[in-house]
């Protein structure tokens, strides 16, 4: 039943009660409102509460109504299958009501309503709400400052929402909006800019007559207008990198925005103390304008590359970076944007030299040639902007000013070294000044490596000479050396042409580590960074000393240094040239240092970083057993402390898997720790994000277990719960099942027969061909190991295999062919090893019913149809399976069916080719036998048992030659003269081969 005006008092009361601090009042109100949400008229009632003039003072209730309104629009505006949605009449009413209530005084409510309008516009514009922008534009003509501010808030939110729609028609619509709305928006931006500058000028003279609220609203409106302009230029025009068409607004807007920044900056320092609200606006405005310029440059690089735009912007940014005014130097957010702009320009692909070929005598100008021409022009502008002297100056300034730690940095490090490590090295480069300067330096060096290589080496040499390793005072010289070390670390790949790592390490870096003064942590951290970054340049004769240096750094007192050492050690362990021999005697200290570090660090990122190092080390060394007890204790404690931290537990599970693999057949020594952890994570109630890693650990445990233990045997039912939930990890699940089959044997089958049958029935017929190819080998191994028990047990799955074999559609699909071939091989094995069962199954009414449903004709004999499949697929299988097909076909000769004689020629041809080709198989089996003999002392792991099962396959003991001879005789006895007639039709060459195969005279 629809809600109406009469329900307004009740809804108002519920909204008021939903704000109550008393849960006994709040909870029933929230439940009642949740019930109302889906009823027609609810949004209309909320809108009445929001816009009611007599409720203007009830801000909290109106705000709550606006939140419910926004949520309801999100859920019910678009008609869905699971809900009736809103009626068209109510939607029309709400759209009109929203546009009639533009002068909302409360900012939060106005913002929420702007979001609502944007969400509705995304769905309804332009089909159902074509007049949205025309109404807003009309209202702007006569609006006061507050109303115009609210309209621009709506415009910004709506344009932002529409710009994210990706369909071509939607992008075309947005382009039309941009073309219609840009001029008006830009005109208003310029007017507001003039008014603001006039207001700031008056404000700077401490004039009391200025209306602060009005000028501040103008500032806010101007900021919204700036964002709208950005949205229109960036999303309203196709990127000129694709179209090679000049985007006129870029040349119109960018120089003016740059002038706006230049006009604002003089007020930045003067407003800081006296007018903090406007100072905060200036901070936001300058940063936002520079971000807009960066966004435009990245979207329209060619238009931005025009000399009238690129030159003044880049020149301005370079001047602010290299020679900033004192107040700008403290304006870090703005300097970050200036550096980001320089980085974006320097690494812009469109500004690089363009290499294109050209067809001779072709005078047409191709798109690529147009790009090349524009790129060359822009490259010329950049070259004149960045002569060698200016590049060298910028490099020097970045290293000597922005890389140098400040007093506040050193204090921050002293107070919280762990946090300092992550803020300096893990933070996004665009969020902090030093990482941003480092990112710009790296790009600058890449562009000018030949010029800057000697410069950086010179700065490094100067810094080392000015601050010998014995100096431990935190002086400008020491801080410059720290900065120079960082500069050398970041560009190792190019700097190695100008600097010998061996000489540097022996002559300076290793000596730095002999000074243990607490202040030397600054230099030691950079040494640790260098040793990790330069890993590819470390040669054999230096590798051992570097390992020793990293272990020494890993034992220092400062957490920041130890974390840097841990990460660099990880790079060395992962390096292809890692030398376990030279690292082996350092392992005991390394393990202890890593374990201690994990205990001492507090932050999640730190624990993950050290765990990665431990996990990598476990995976890399060949002999982990001597350290197994320490690792067991570490994992036990680390797992207990990781409770509730899923991401940390994922890292622990990976490390545990590496540990189990490294222990190999000795893995039971960690079972007291491992199996309880494994049981907890394969439980259906454990977090989903742990499932993949826990299953891989489960699979590794089974693969490296020398024998089945009761606890592992008891975990198997968990697999059913996991697969019932999802088939995402079917491949690993298949390997786990195989582990249970080959390791648990008959004990496993006796305990979990029903569960195993359920798993196979759940998978076969319900997964795609790729999934079936993972599971079918398991069925083959099962039948091979337990030919008497398994077929009856998995009867439902075998029926599905018959349906797969007798279904068509695999002629042009290699995946389906592989599935059908594997299924046919399993059925052939069952016929050979349990003939009576398959004969009985093929006459089962349930199978006939399933086949009929699949479109298989009733009158066909199923076994004879399977014969056709075996004859068709025999060339698609490996040699062992060919023998199985041959044996199955020879058994078919014993059927009392006259149709067998129609296929006699083909059956004998296949069997003959298998027998005559058997010498290759014999060689393979003999080789396998030799391997088995040489492996007698080997512990029976999963891989060993798998080979053992393959070698002891009963099919290997059956002679196809004898079977065919005996079954031919039976076939002759069954069919008499008809048999002789069929044999006489054989080609003489085929008959001669048959006689050769059966060694007949």
């Amino acid at each position: 039943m629809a809600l109406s005006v009469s329900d307004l008092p009740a809804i108002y009361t519920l909204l008021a009660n939903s704000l109550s601090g008393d849960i006994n009042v709040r909870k029933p109100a929230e439940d009642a409102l949740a019930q109302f949400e889906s009823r027609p008229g609810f949004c209309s009632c909320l809108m009445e509460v929001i816009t009611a003039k007599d409720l203007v003072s009830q801000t909290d209730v109106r705000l709550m109504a606006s939140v419910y309104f926004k949520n309801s629009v999100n859920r019910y505006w678009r008609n869905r299958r699971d809900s009736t949605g809103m009626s068209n009449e109510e939607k029309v009413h709400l759209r009109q009501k929203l546009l009639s209530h533009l002068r909302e005084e409360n900012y939060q409510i106005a913002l929420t309503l702007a979001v609502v309008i944007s969400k509705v516009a995304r769905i309804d514009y332009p089909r159902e709400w074509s007049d949205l922008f025309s109404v807003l534009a009309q209202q702007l003509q006569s609006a006061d400052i507050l109303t115009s501010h609210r309209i621009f808030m709506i415009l910004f939110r709506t344009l932002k929402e529409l710009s994210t729609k990706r369909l071509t028609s939607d992008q075309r619509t947005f382009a039309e909006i941009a073309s219609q709305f840009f001029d008006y928006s830009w005109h208003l931006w310029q007017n507001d800019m003039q008014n603001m500058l006039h207001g700031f000028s008056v404000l700077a003279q401490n004039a009391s007559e200025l209306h602060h609220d009005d000028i501040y609203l103008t500032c806010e409106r101007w900021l919204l207008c700036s964002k709208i302009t950005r949205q229109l230029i960036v999303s309203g025009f196709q990127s000129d990198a694709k179209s090679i068409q000049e985007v006129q607004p870029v040349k119109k807007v960018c120089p003016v925005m740059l002038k706006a920044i230049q006009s604002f900056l003089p007020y930045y320092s003067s407003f800081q103390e006296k007018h903090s609200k406007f100072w905060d606006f200036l901070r936001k405005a300058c940063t936002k304008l520079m971000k807009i310029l960066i966004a435009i440059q990245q979207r329209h690089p060619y238009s931005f590359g025009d000399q009238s735009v690129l030159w003044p912007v880049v020149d301005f940014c370079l001047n602010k970076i290299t020679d900033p005014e004192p107040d700008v130097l403290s304006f870090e957010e703005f300097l970050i944007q200036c550096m980001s702009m320089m980085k974006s320009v320097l690494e812009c692909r469109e500004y690089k030299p363009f290499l294109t070929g050209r067809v001779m005598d072709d005078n047409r100008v191709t798109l690529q040639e147009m790009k090349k021409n524009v790129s060359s022009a822009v490259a010329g502008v950049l070259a004149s902007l960045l002569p060698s002297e200016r590049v060298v100056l910028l490099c020097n300034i970045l290293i000597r000013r922005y890389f140098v730690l400040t007093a506040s940095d050193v204090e921050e490090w002293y107070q919280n070294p762990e946090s300092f490590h992550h803020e300096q090295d893990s933070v996004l480069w665009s969020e902090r000044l030093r990482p941003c300067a480092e990112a710009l330096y790296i790009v600058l060096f890449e562009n000018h490596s030949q010029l800057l290589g000697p410069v950086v080496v010179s700065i490094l040499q100067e810094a080392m000479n000015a601050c010998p390793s014995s100096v431990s005072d935190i002086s400008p010289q020491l801080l410059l050396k720290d900065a120079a070390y960082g500069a050398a670390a970041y560009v190792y790949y190019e700097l190695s042409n100008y600097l010998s790592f061996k000489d540097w390490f022996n002559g300076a870096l290793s000596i730095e580590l002999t000074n243990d003064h607490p202040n030397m942590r600054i230099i030691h951290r950079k040494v640790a960074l260098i040793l990790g970054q330069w890993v590819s340049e470390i040669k054999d004769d230096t590798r051992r000393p570097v390992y020793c240096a990293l272990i020494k750094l890993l034992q220092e007192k400062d957490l920041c240094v130890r974390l840097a050492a841990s990460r660099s050690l990880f790079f060395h362990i992962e390096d292809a040239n890692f030398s376990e021999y030279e690292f082996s005697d350092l392992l005991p200290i390394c393990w202890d240092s890593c374990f201690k570090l994990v205990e001492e660090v507090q932050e999640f990122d730190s624990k993950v970083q050290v765990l990665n190092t431990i996990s990598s080390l476990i995976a890399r060394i060949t002999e982990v057993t001597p350290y197994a007890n320490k690792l067991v204790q570490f994992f036990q404690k680390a797992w207990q402390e990781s409770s509730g931290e899923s991401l940390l537990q994922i890292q622990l599970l990976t490390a545990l898997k590496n540990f189990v693999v490294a222990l190999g057949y000795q893995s039971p020594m960690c079972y007291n720790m491992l199996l309880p952890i494994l049981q907890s994570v394969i439980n259906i109630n454990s977090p989903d994000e742990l499932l993949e890693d826990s299953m891989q650990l489960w699979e590794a445990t089974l693969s490296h277990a020398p024998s089945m233990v009761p606890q592992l045997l008891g975990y198997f039912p968990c697999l059913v719960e996991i697969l019932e939930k999802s088939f995402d990890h079917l491949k690993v699940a298949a390997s786990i099942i195989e582990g249970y089959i080959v390791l648990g044997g008959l004990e496993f089958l006796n305990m979990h027969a029903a569960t195993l049958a359920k798993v196979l029935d759940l998978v076969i017929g319900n997964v795609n061909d790729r999934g079936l190819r993972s599971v079918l080998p398991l069925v083959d191994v099962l039948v091979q190991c337990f030919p008497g028990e398994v077929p009856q047990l998995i009867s439902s799955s075998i029926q599905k295999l018959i349906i797969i074999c007798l279904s068509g559609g695999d002629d042009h699909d290699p995946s389906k062919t592989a599935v059908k071939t594997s299924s046919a091989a399993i059925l052939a094995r069952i016929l050979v090893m349990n003939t009576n069962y398959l004969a009985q199954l093929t006459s089962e009414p349930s199978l006939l019913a399933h086949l009929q449903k699949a479109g298989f004709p009733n009158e066909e004999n199923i076994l004879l149809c399977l014969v056709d499949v075996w004859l068709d697929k025999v060339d698609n299988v490996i040699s062992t399976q060919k023998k199985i097909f041959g044996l199955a076909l020879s058994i078919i000769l014993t059927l009392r069916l006259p149709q067998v004689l129609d296929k006699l020629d083909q059956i004998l041809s296949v069997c003959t080719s298998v027998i005559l080709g058997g010498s290759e198989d014999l060689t393979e089996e003999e080789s396998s036998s030799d391997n088995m003999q040489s492996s007698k002392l080997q512990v029976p792991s999963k891989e060993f048992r798998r080979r053992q099962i393959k070698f002891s396959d009963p099919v290997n003991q059956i002679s196809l030659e004898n079977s065919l001879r005996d079954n031919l005789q039976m076939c002759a006895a069954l069919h008499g003269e008809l048999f002789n007639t069929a044999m006489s039709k054989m080609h003489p060459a085929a008959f001669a081969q048959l006689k050769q195969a059966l060694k007949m005279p």
Side-chain angles (χ1 to χ4, degrees):
M1 183 177 172
L3 298 171
S4 62
V5 179
S6 61
D7 296 298
L8 275 173
I11 288 176
Y12 175 81
T13 303
L14 289 173
L15 288 167
N17 289 345
S18 70
L19 294 164
S20 172
D22 184 352
I23 192 170
N24 295 319
V25 176
R26 185 175 71 251
K27 191 69 171 65
E30 289 174 346
D31 293 342
L33 287 167
Q35 294 294 321
F36 278 146
E37 262 191 351
S38 58
R39 289 176 61 180
F42 180 62
C43 285
S44 298
C45 290
L46 292 173
M47 198 62 198
E48 292 302 322
V49 172
I50 295 166
T51 59
K53 292 183 178 178
D54 56 334
L55 296 178
V56 171
S57 60
Q58 303 294 320
T59 306
D60 52 352
V61 176
R62 293 171 60 237
L63 180 58
M64 183 59 73
S66 70
V67 171
Y68 271 96
F69 183 35
K70 175 172 72 73
N71 293 339
S72 296
V73 165
N74 280 337
R75 291 192 186 106
Y76 302 110
W77 194 275
R78 192 191 297 272
N79 291 328
R80 302 179 189 276
R81 284 179 296 177
D82 57 345
S83 67
T84 55
M86 293 186 201
S87 66
N88 288 329
E89 293 77 13
E90 187 175 7
K91 287 180 181 179
V92 170
H93 168 72
L94 289 172
R95 286 194 293 260
Q96 291 173 348
K97 195 79 175 173
L98 282 165
L99 291 182
S100 65
H101 185 70
L102 297 174
R103 200 181 191 284
E104 171 57 59
E105 293 190 2
N106 182 272
Y107 178 81
Q108 279 302 128
I109 297 173
L111 180 60
T112 307
L113 292 177
V115 171
V116 170
I117 291 172
S118 71
K119 298 295 181 185
V120 173
R122 183 181 184 90
I123 299 167
D124 287 359
Y125 183 85
R127 292 184 180 178
E128 307 295 331
W129 207 0
S130 57
D131 62 342
L132 169 62
F133 290 103
S134 59
V135 170
L136 291 174
Q138 186 179 353
Q139 295 275 6
L140 272 173
Q141 305 298 326
S142 56
D144 59 15
I145 292 178
L146 177 63
T147 306
S148 64
H149 176 272
R150 300 310 191 230
I151 292 173
F152 269 92
M153 188 187 292
I154 292 166
L155 284 169
F156 168 63
R157 291 283 166 184
T158 305
L159 290 170
K160 187 177 181 181
E161 190 71 41
L162 293 177
S163 70
T164 61
K165 298 179 79 174
R166 299 267 65 92
L167 291 178
T168 305
S169 57
D170 295 324
Q171 292 182 340
R172 197 180 300 117
T173 299
F174 194 87
E176 290 172 6
I177 297 171
S179 63
Q180 295 168 10
F181 211 74
F182 173 77
D183 287 335
Y184 177 80
S185 172
W186 182 237
H187 178 70
L188 185 64
W189 185 94
Q190 291 175 298
N191 282 343
D192 280 351
M193 185 69 201
Q194 290 178 355
N195 293 334
M196 284 159 48
L197 288 175
H198 174 71
F200 290 162
S201 175
V202 174
L203 200 63
Q205 297 168 19
N206 294 320
S208 56
E209 70 275 6
L210 188 70
H211 296 290
H212 285 200
D213 290 344
D214 284 355
I215 191 67
Y216 190 75
L217 266 178
T218 303
C219 291
E220 287 290 308
R221 181 177 69 184
W222 172 89
L223 198 57
L224 285 168
C225 204
S226 300
K227 294 176 183 179
I228 289 169
T229 302
R230 174 201 180 280
Q231 211 71 55
L232 294 173
I233 295 176
V234 169
S235 301
F237 299 87
Q238 186 184 13
S239 171
D240 63 7
K242 294 180 180 177
S243 65
I244 317 298
Q245 292 182 354
E246 187 178 79
V247 179
Q248 280 294 331
V250 173
K251 293 171 70 174
K252 183 186 291 187
V253 167
C254 293
V256 180
M257 284 191 168
L258 180 64
K259 286 180 182 175
I261 296 171
Q262 293 168 322
S263 302
F264 284 154
L265 284 175
Y267 296 107
Y268 180 76
S269 56
S270 60
F271 282 9
Q272 187 166 0
E273 293 181 7
K274 297 180 180 179
H275 307 290
S276 58
K277 187 164 74 169
F278 289 99
W279 175 80
D280 189 58
F281 164 76
L282 285 172
R283 185 177 56 79
K284 286 192 296 185
C286 290
T287 306
K288 175 56 70 176
L289 286 177
M290 192 55 74
K291 283 183 176 180
I292 291 171
L293 291 174
I294 293 168
I296 293 173
Q297 187 276 328
Q298 291 175 346
R299 176 68 173 175
H300 304 299
Y302 291 137
S303 300
F304 193 93
D306 187 89
Q307 184 156 358
S308 65
V309 180
L310 185 67
W311 181 288
V313 172
V314 170
D315 189 58
F316 172 81
C317 290
L318 278 170
N319 287 334
K320 292 305 171 191
I321 294 167
T322 56
D323 189 24
E325 298 83 357
D327 50 319
V328 173
L329 191 57
S330 63
F331 191 178
E332 285 200 2
E333 301 101 307
F334 182 68
L335 281 174
I336 287 170
Q337 297 311 316
C338 289
M339 290 181 184
S340 297
M341 170 60 83
M342 285 303 306
K343 179 176 179 291
S344 182
V345 168
L346 287 172
E347 65 185 358
C348 180
R349 188 177 57 185
E350 285 74 21
Y351 298 165
K352 306 289 183 187
F354 222 91
L355 301 176
T356 57
R358 183 167 182 170
V359 179
M360 291 181 66
D361 300 325
D362 186 353
N363 296 320
R364 290 173 301 174
V365 179
T366 64
L367 190 67
Q368 294 299 314
E369 286 175 340
M370 289 169 66
K371 287 184 177 182
K372 181 180 178 181
N373 294 336
V374 179
S375 296
S376 299
V378 177
V381 175
L382 276 177
S384 56
L385 261 172
L386 283 168
S388 300
E389 303 80 32
R390 205 170 192 184
V391 172
V392 171
L393 173 66
L394 178 59
C395 177
N396 267 284
I397 293 291
L398 289 172
I399 296 171
R400 296 174 185 275
R401 179 183 297 159
Y402 296 106
F403 283 20
V404 175
L405 294 173
T406 63
S408 62
D409 290 328
V410 176
E411 179 62 24
E412 183 186 340
W413 184 346
Y414 179 77
Q415 294 296 334
N416 193 338
E418 187 179 353
S419 175
F420 182 81
H421 167 77
H422 293 296
E423 284 194 7
Q424 296 303 308
D425 296 304
S426 303
V427 75
L428 282 174
W429 64 266
S430 57
E431 292 180 3
R432 295 286 292 262
L433 185 60
R434 185 177 300 101
C436 188
E438 290 164 356
L440 172 58
Y441 162 76
I442 290 168
V443 175
L444 184 72
F445 196 96
E446 285 174 353
N447 284 16
H448 305 278
S449 57
Q450 292 186 343
L451 172 65
L452 295 180
V455 172
V456 174
V457 172
S458 171
I459 295 171
L460 180 64
Q461 198 63 52
E462 174 197 333
M464 289 192 297
N465 291 337
C467 183
S469 303
S470 57
V471 175
S472 52
D473 293 335
I474 302 179
S475 61
Q477 291 80 8
L478 183 134
L479 294 175
L480 177 61
K481 182 165 70 169
D482 170 70
Y485 276 0
Y490 302 135
V491 291
Y492 62 92
Y493 46 89
E494 292 283 1
L495 203 61
S496 58
N497 296 324
Y498 304 93
L499 181 64
S500 163
F501 177 81
K502 181 180 177 180
D503 295 342
W504 186 23
F505 179 77
N506 292 330
L509 299 180
S510 59
I511 301 170
E512 302 282 12
L513 302 185
T514 60
N515 187 343
D516 294 326
H517 192 282
N519 289 343
M520 287 302 289
R521 69 187 190 276
I522 294 172
I523 300 300
H524 288 184
R525 170 175 166 266
K526 279 294 163 64
V527 172
L529 174 69
I530 291 164
L531 297 182
Q533 293 293 317
W534 282 69
V535 61
S536 60
E537 301 302 319
I538 299 172
K539 307 306 178 187
D540 293 342
D541 54 347
T542 319
R543 194 164 283 119
R544 166 74 183 181
V546 167
Y547 291 163
C548 293
L550 284 170
I551 296 301
K552 186 179 189 306
L553 289 163
L554 203 55
Q555 295 175 278
E556 292 210 1
K557 292 181 181 179
D558 187 84
L559 276 179
C560 188
V561 175
R562 289 159 69 190
L563 285 167
S566 167
R567 186 177 52 193
S568 292
L569 182 61
F570 172 80
F571 293 149
H572 279 268
I573 296 165
E574 290 290 302
D575 182 46
N577 296 314
F578 175 71
S579 171
E580 184 182 348
Y581 172 76
E582 294 186 336
F583 195 81
S584 57
D585 64 316
L586 301 172
L587 273 170
I589 307 171
C590 182
W591 289 126
D592 289 342
S593 301
C594 287
F595 297 158
K596 188 178 179 184
L597 184 55
V598 171
E599 286 184 12
E600 290 185 23
V601 295
Q602 300 297 318
E603 295 191 16
F604 168 80
D605 288 339
S606 305
K607 291 182 183 293
V608 168
Q609 181 186 308
V610 186
L611 262 177
N612 280 338
T613 304
I614 292 171
S615 179
S616 180
L617 191 56
I618 291 170
R620 199 65 196 264
I621 62 174
T622 52
E623 189 54 63
V624 77
T625 311
Y627 317 103
N629 290 333
K630 284 186 176 181
L631 284 162
V632 165
Q633 292 172 13
F634 162 72
F635 282 122
Q636 186 90 52
K637 186 174 182 182
W639 186 262
Q640 290 170 355
E641 292 175 352
S642 69
S643 177
E645 295 277 2
S646 293
L647 292 174
L648 187 58
Q649 288 183 335
I650 287 171
Q651 301 296 328
L652 278 167
L653 290 172
T654 302
L656 272 170
K657 184 191 76 173
N658 290 343
F659 184 40
V660 170
V661 172
L663 286 174
Y665 68 87
Q666 293 179 298
S667 57
M669 67 193 305
C670 73
Y671 278 6
N672 288 338
M673 170 274 298
L674 174 68
L675 295 184
I677 292 175
L678 183 59
Q679 185 179 21
S680 68
V681 291
I682 61 175
N683 187 294
I684 192 68
N685 297 319
S686 70
D688 289 346
E689 57 268 24
L690 298 182
L691 183 58
E692 181 178 359
D693 296 280
S694 59
M695 288 190 72
Q696 288 178 357
L697 175 60
W698 192 0
E699 191 266 342
T701 304
L702 286 166
S703 295
H704 296 86
S707 60
M708 183 61 72
V709 295
Q711 298 100 308
L712 267 177
L713 201 57
Y715 297 164
F716 185 73
C718 295
L719 200 61
V720 180
E721 296 177 337
I722 291 169
L723 291 176
E724 282 178 338
K725 197 173 181 181
S726 167
F727 290 135
D728 289 347
H729 309 294
L730 184 59
K731 190 172 182 180
V732 183
S735 184
I736 289 170
I737 297 169
E738 184 188 37
Y740 275 103
I741 294 168
V742 302
L743 205 61
L746 195 57
E747 181 187 9
F748 162 68
L749 192 67
N750 290 336
M751 180 178 285
H752 295 298
T755 307
L756 179 62
K758 186 176 181 181
V759 167
L760 294 176
D761 193 48
L762 179 67
V763 173
I764 296 172
N766 295 314
V767 297
N768 60 20
D769 294 333
R770 185 180 174 187
L772 281 172
R773 288 166 66 185
S774 299
V775 173
L776 292 180
L778 303 177
V779 183
D780 191 53
V781 171
L782 268 173
V783 175
Q784 181 182 329
C785 294
F786 313 105
E789 301 90 341
V790 162
Q792 189 68 43
L793 177 68
I794 61 169
S795 181
S796 173
S797 297
I798 292 173
Q799 287 189 21
K800 292 178 182 178
L801 297 185
I802 293 173
I803 295 168
I804 289 170
C805 282
L806 301 185
S807 302
D810 70 316
D811 294 341
H812 304 291
D813 189 337
S815 184
K816 287 191 182 302
T817 300
V819 168
K820 185 178 282 192
T821 303
S822 298
S823 303
I826 293 168
L827 296 172
R829 180 183 286 281
I830 294 172
L831 182 63
V832 173
M833 301 176 75
N834 198 336
T835 307
N836 291 336
Y837 168 76
L838 191 64
Q840 179 187 344
L841 181 66
T842 53
S843 59
E844 283 272 346
S846 58
L847 174 60
L848 297 173
H850 286 308
L851 284 169
Q852 188 177 0
K853 193 182 292 184
F856 185 77
N858 276 341
E859 62 275 6
E860 296 280 354
N861 181 287
I862 295 174
L863 270 177
L864 289 176
C865 291
L866 286 175
V867 170
D868 290 335
V869 176
W870 292 328
L871 291 169
D872 181 45
K873 303 300 179 190
V874 70
D875 291 328
N876 293 356
V877 296
I878 60 174
S879 56
T880 311
Q881 290 175 321
K882 282 183 180 179
K883 185 176 180 181
I884 295 171
F885 277 28
L887 288 168
L889 290 168
S890 77
I891 291 171
I892 292 294
L893 295 175
T894 63
L895 295 179
R896 296 176 179 273
L897 295 171
Q899 297 97 317
V900 169
L901 297 177
D902 297 334
K903 305 177 189 295
L904 184 61
D905 189 9
Q906 290 175 281
I907 291 172
L908 293 177
S909 175
V910 167
C911 292
T912 301
S913 66
V914 173
I915 293 169
L916 294 177
S919 58
E920 295 175 10
D921 302 342
L922 185 62
T923 304
E924 183 184 330
E925 295 304 333
E926 285 173 351
S927 171
S928 177
S929 175
D930 291 341
N931 288 336
M932 290 297 299
Q933 295 297 324
S934 65
S935 305
K936 280 185 177 177
L937 299 176
Q938 192 173 339
V939 173
S941 63
K942 175 184 170 182
E943 185 57 39
F944 178 81
R945 290 174 188 268
R946 187 194 283 135
R947 292 204 308 271
Q948 198 175 38
I949 289 169
K950 182 180 179 182
F951 175 68
S952 58
D953 187 347
V955 169
N956 295 337
Q957 314 306 320
I958 303 173
S959 167
L960 176 56
E961 180 184 333
N962 294 336
S963 175
L964 181 60
R965 187 183 296 111
D966 294 344
N967 292 336
L968 263 178
Q969 290 174 359
M970 188 179 293
C971 187
L974 285 171
H975 299 287
E977 193 57 38
L978 290 174
F979 172 80
N980 294 331
T981 305
M983 289 294 289
S984 65
K985 294 179 181 178
M986 281 187 72
H987 192 279
F991 187 71
Q993 283 188 322
L994 176 64
K995 289 174 69 177
Q996 180 189 347
L998 298 182
K999 299 182 175 62
M1000 294 167 61

